Amino acid sequence: MKNILLHLRIPFSFFLMPVYWFALSQTNHANTGISIGVFILLHLLIYPASNAYNSYYDKDEGSIGGLENPPPVSKELFYVAWALDILAIIIAYFLSGWILALALFIYSSISKAYSNDKIRLKKYPILSWITVGIFQGAFTYLTVIQALDNVSLRDLMQEKYLFPAVLSSFNLLGFYPMTQIYQHEEDAKRGDLTMSRLLGIRGTFLFTAGIFLLVTAGFFFFFQEKEIFDFSAFIVYLLVMSPVLIFFNVWFLKVLKNEQLADYKHTMQLNFLGSICLNVFFVLLFLSN
């Protein structure tokens, strides 16, 4: 049981939490009960199920996201992953309706296609990168918006929903290769040509920097007329995210001298710092509305 709990990697859900807070900050007086329910469904059921399913098929011996020394996996982990997904979908139906239930079903199905050895999207660098970016970003953002504001699927296609959804995806598209940067050896053993392996260590840093320049430009336009407690939302964004920028650049300079420093420890530090800063910013944005 302990090994199963470890492979659920529930704390790892914190890294995906900014998408939820961003969506919540853009809702119009969302129902508190549904807001809490959707939060639980995503972060305590759907994401852990995805982690467990991925761990079952990867059978990593080296460090993975949220687990420096992953324990052996068992068949029970496979069943737990399925049980959590099914439970989440059932609860979603009664909490918000068929749209949320369908959205979680689609998300969990894509997650399984990412890891399952018969399909294994993970071994295709660009396809897996785009898939993760879309479904952990825009798809999740729109799912939360729809459930919390009861938005029709047609109305969900409006620019006011799609633009921040796209920004959410680009955030993930930037972070995702960095989460793979220390796993090149493990991924090579399984024959998975991940985005980070395709780019190389230095290329991963440069690619991520380029994506985040685009994200920053996107947030500049999105936050032009928005304020957080009477301060420009974009300026607050820059200030809150500045520790991430500093850490990223200092780490990159170290890696240029020694690529062995592109390791699990620094990757998790960047992920944790980035998640803290984004969560803080979006919570502030939510509280200021």
Side-chain angles (χ1 to χ4, degrees):
M1 179 58 73
K2 180 181 178 181
N3 287 355
I4 290 175
L5 289 174
L6 287 173
H7 276 294
L8 292 179
R9 289 181 276 161
I10 292 176
F12 195 74
S13 296
F14 181 73
F15 298 150
L16 299 175
M17 201 178 291
V19 176
Y20 172 86
W21 287 115
F22 188 19
L24 182 63
S25 73
Q26 301 306 302
T27 57
N28 299 311
H29 310 295
N31 178 278
T32 302
I34 295 178
S35 300
I36 294 172
V38 171
F39 180 91
I40 291 172
L41 287 175
L42 288 174
H43 300 92
L44 298 183
L45 295 177
I46 289 294
Y47 294 156
S50 178
N51 293 336
Y53 197 84
N54 185 63
S55 287
Y56 176 76
Y57 277 100
D58 281 5
K59 296 177 173 60
D60 291 287
E61 296 177 358
S63 301
I64 56 177
L67 274 181
E68 188 168 5
N69 298 297
V73 300
S74 63
K75 191 67 175 179
E76 286 74 20
L77 184 64
F78 176 84
Y79 296 131
V80 167
W82 272 96
L84 291 178
D85 274 336
I86 293 170
L87 179 62
I89 292 167
I90 293 172
I91 294 174
Y93 178 80
F94 290 102
L95 177 70
S96 179
W98 70 270
I99 296 179
L100 178 60
L102 177 61
L104 296 190
F105 171 77
I106 292 172
Y107 183 99
S108 65
S109 298
I110 295 297
S111 174
K112 290 175 176 59
Y114 177 85
S115 304
N116 190 285
D117 55 5
K118 299 294 190 300
I119 305 172
R120 199 148 182 91
L121 298 179
K122 188 176 182 178
K123 67 182 179 182
Y124 305 106
I126 296 176
L127 179 59
S128 63
W129 173 65
I130 292 173
T131 300
V132 168
I134 290 174
F135 283 92
Q136 291 186 350
F139 186 85
T140 299
Y141 178 93
L142 294 173
T143 295
V144 174
I145 285 286
Q146 191 286 320
L148 270 52
D149 265 354
N150 195 27
V151 182
S152 70
L153 294 179
R154 176 180 292 182
D155 288 342
L156 210 55
M157 295 301 104
Q158 296 178 58
E159 182 183 347
K160 67 176 182 178
Y161 297 126
L162 291 180
F163 187 48
V166 169
L167 287 177
S168 296
S169 276
F170 270 90
N171 250 332
L172 267 297
L173 290 171
F175 262 115
Y176 180 59
M178 291 303 302
T179 66
Q180 303 169 324
I181 201 167
Y182 66 93
Q183 292 182 303
H184 289 191
E185 185 176 341
E186 282 281 332
D187 290 328
K189 288 179 182 178
R190 289 189 300 268
D192 294 336
L193 181 58
T194 61
M195 193 65 176
S196 183
R197 280 191 66 210
L198 181 67
L199 293 166
I201 290 177
R202 296 187 183 190
T204 298
F205 275 94
L206 294 173
F207 182 80
T208 294
I211 292 290
F212 279 116
L213 278 175
L214 290 175
V215 171
T216 301
F219 277 128
F220 171 76
F221 289 107
F222 184 70
F223 290 131
Q224 271 191 329
E225 298 180 2
K226 292 181 172 61
E227 293 186 341
I228 295 178
F229 301 117
D230 298 326
F231 293 95
S232 164
F234 181 68
I235 297 300
V236 174
Y237 171 78
L238 293 179
L239 290 173
V240 172
M241 293 302 293
S242 59
V244 182
L245 180 63
I246 293 170
F247 182 93
F248 179 87
N249 283 287
V250 170
W251 181 25
F252 184 35
L253 291 175
K254 290 180 179 179
V255 170
L256 287 176
K257 297 177 181 178
N258 180 9
E259 289 194 348
Q260 294 299 315
L261 292 176
D263 55 15
Y264 173 84
K265 177 183 176 182
H266 287 89
T267 301
M268 289 302 105
Q269 287 175 343
L270 177 66
N271 284 351
F272 187 63
L273 181 61
S275 299
I276 286 177
C277 292
L278 279 174
N279 278 313
V280 166
F281 173 74
F282 289 130
V283 168
L284 287 174
L285 189 63
F286 165 66
L287 293 175
S288 68
N289 287 342

